[in-house]
């Protein structure tokens, strides 16, 4: 049987929020089977629990933000991406402020934390959402058109195209295909960093965003070039980070997907709209489990040995 997984031990770290600039303590704790990924604002009394869900995403400006009453947890996409990439189904994520720390701008620090804790297999079948027919959402038209689509696929793959019309971005590949039947999340996706443009910083900070951004936690560009002395980690790091984000955004559906995701200039808002469109059409998906490893998608069966072997 392909079973659910949590972590073995509690692990902690500290960092700053990319948008808030506030220091935050992050604690990852094991959770029982069928708990899901649950964020907890432990600076509230009593603590406020926000289960990860596409329906509680209340803000998508530059990040995916979960909202419950007066409590918010912002920038959840990177840690959700790490959980998806390592096959973690159940986890408590305690935070002492409104935003998950940005760390180095990628998911690699969260991968390290999860691997440091270790994985615990649980006595319950892992549940998947199998997409049965195409579901697509679109915004804009012409040069401003953006779209994202989920299609049936016996596994999980993502095909993403970006277009920024910037010399530093144009000089790299702007389309990437990641098929988890062929690649590993830890090596091929997790280290891709978020990126931004110097000319946007003032306006973003005026909106209360990017207050914690720096060359230590993002790829930063002026009008012509990349300002980071160490350059890029992947030759297609820009689009690869968009894939990292999409993996995290899509995991907010509550279970791993059996689907092919294709996107053209998509972002957090459109990714969330896509999940809501999927969930609004009960005939477009089904919940499945696998009684034997032989009938399960190979990419998910291989995940344990392939991803956790790199700890």
């Amino acid at each position: 049987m392909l079973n659910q997984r949590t972590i073995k031990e509690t692990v902690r770290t500290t960092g700053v929020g990319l948008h808030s600039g506030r220091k935050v303590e992050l604690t990852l704790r094991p959770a029982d089977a069928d708990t899901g990924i649950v964020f907890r604002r432990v600076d509230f009394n009593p603590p406020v629990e926000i289960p990860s869900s596409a329906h509680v995403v209340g803000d998508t400006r530059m990040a995916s933000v979960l909202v419950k009453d007066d409590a918010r947890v912002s920038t959840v996409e990177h840690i959700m991406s790490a959980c998806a990439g390592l096959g973690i189904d159940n986890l408590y994520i305690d935070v002492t402020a409104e935003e998950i720390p940005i760390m180095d701008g990628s998911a690699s620090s969260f991968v390290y934390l999860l691997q440091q804790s270790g994985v615990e297999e649980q006595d319950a079948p892992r549940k998947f959402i199998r997409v049965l027919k195409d579901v697509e959402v679109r915004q804009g038209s012409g040069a401003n058109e953006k779209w994202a689509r989920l299609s049936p696929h016996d596994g999980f793959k993502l095909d993403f195209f970006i277009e920024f019309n910037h010399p530093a971005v144009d000089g790299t590949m702007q389309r990437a295909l990641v098929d988890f039947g062929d690649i590993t999340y830890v090596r091929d996706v997790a280290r891709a960093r978020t990126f931004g443009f110097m000319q946007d910083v003032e306006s973003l900070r005026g909106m209360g965003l990017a207050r914690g951004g720096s060359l230590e936690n993002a790829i930063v560009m002026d009008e012509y070039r990349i300002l980071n002395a160490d350059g890029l980690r992947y030759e297609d790091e820009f689009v690869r980070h968009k894939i990292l984000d999409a993996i995290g955004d899509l995991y907010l559906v509550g279970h791993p997907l059996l689907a092919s995701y294709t996107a053209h200039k998509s972002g957090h808002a459109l990714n969330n709209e896509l999940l809501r469109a999927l969930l609004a059409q009960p005939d477009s998906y089904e919940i499945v489990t696998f009684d034997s490893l032989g009938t399960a998608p190979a990419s998910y069966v291989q995940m344990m040995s392939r991803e956790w072997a790199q700890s």
Side-chain angles (χ1 to χ4, degrees), residues 190 239 243 261 270:
V239 66
I243 286 176
Y261 165 88
L270 207 57

Side-chain angles (χ1 to χ4, degrees), residues 2 58 79 90 127 160 184 190 265:
L2 192 55
I79 195 165
N90 305 300
K127 298 173 184 176
F160 207 113
T184 81
K265 300 194 293 187

Side-chain angles (χ1 to χ4, degrees), residues 71-255:
R72 294 162 50 95
V73 181
S74 177
T75 321
V76 302
E77 58 272 11
H78 297 173
I79 195 165
M80 288 297 296
S81 185
C83 289
L86 291 183
I88 298 297
D89 301 279
N90 305 300
L91 185 70
Y92 287 113
I93 301 174
D94 296 351
V95 288
T96 59
E98 67 179 24
E99 190 174 9
I100 301 297
I102 189 61
M103 310 310 284
D104 73 343
S106 75
S108 60
S109 294
F110 304 120
V111 165
Y112 173 78
L113 277 176
L114 292 168
Q115 290 178 331
Q116 183 183 40
S117 172
V119 65
E120 185 76 40
E121 187 167 302
Q122 299 173 292
D123 189 20
R126 192 170 205 211
K127 298 173 184 176
F128 295 81
I129 292 180
R130 174 187 279 152
V131 173
L132 300 176
K133 67 177 186 179
D134 286 1
V135 176
E136 182 177 288
V137 292
R138 289 180 176 266
Q139 290 180 357
S141 60
N144 296 319
E145 185 178 42
K146 304 175 182 180
W147 56 267
R149 180 192 307 124
L150 288 171
S151 304
H153 177 65
D154 189 31
F156 187 43
K157 66 179 179 180
L158 304 96
D159 187 349
F160 207 113
F161 175 77
I162 60 173
E163 191 173 32
F164 281 93
N165 296 317
H166 184 281
V169 182
D170 292 347
T172 72
M173 291 183 288
Q174 297 191 60
R175 180 181 179 183
L177 172 65
V178 168
D179 187 335
F180 284 97
D182 302 323
I183 63 94
T184 81
Y185 177 84
V186 174
R187 184 189 65 216
D188 300 309
V189 177
R191 297 179 65 247
R193 293 162 294 175
T194 192
F195 55 93
F197 306 93
M198 284 295 296
Q199 59 265 36
D200 295 336
V201 168
E202 186 174 342
S203 60
L204 287 171
R205 289 181 175 170
M207 294 187 292
L209 301 170
R211 292 175 176 173
S214 73
L215 292 170
E216 301 301 317
N217 55 37
I219 305 168
V220 182
M221 290 164 283
D222 62 16
E223 294 181 2
Y224 307 103
R225 61 192 174 92
I226 297 168
L227 301 180
N228 303 67
D230 56 349
L232 298 178
R233 295 175 175 178
Y234 306 102
E235 60 180 348
D236 58 352
E237 189 169 1
F238 298 108
V239 66
R240 203 157 285 242
H241 183 78
K242 297 294 284 186
I243 286 176
L244 183 155
D245 276 350
I247 292 169
D249 287 342
L250 295 176
Y251 205 38
L252 288 168
V253 76
H255 302 290

Side-chain angles (χ1 to χ4, degrees), residues 1-6 8 119-124 304:
M1 181 182 292
L2 192 55
N3 287 344
Q4 296 178 33
R5 304 179 185 113
T6 188
K8 285 184 177 179
V119 65
E120 185 76 40
E121 187 167 302
Q122 299 173 292
D123 189 20
M304 284 299 291

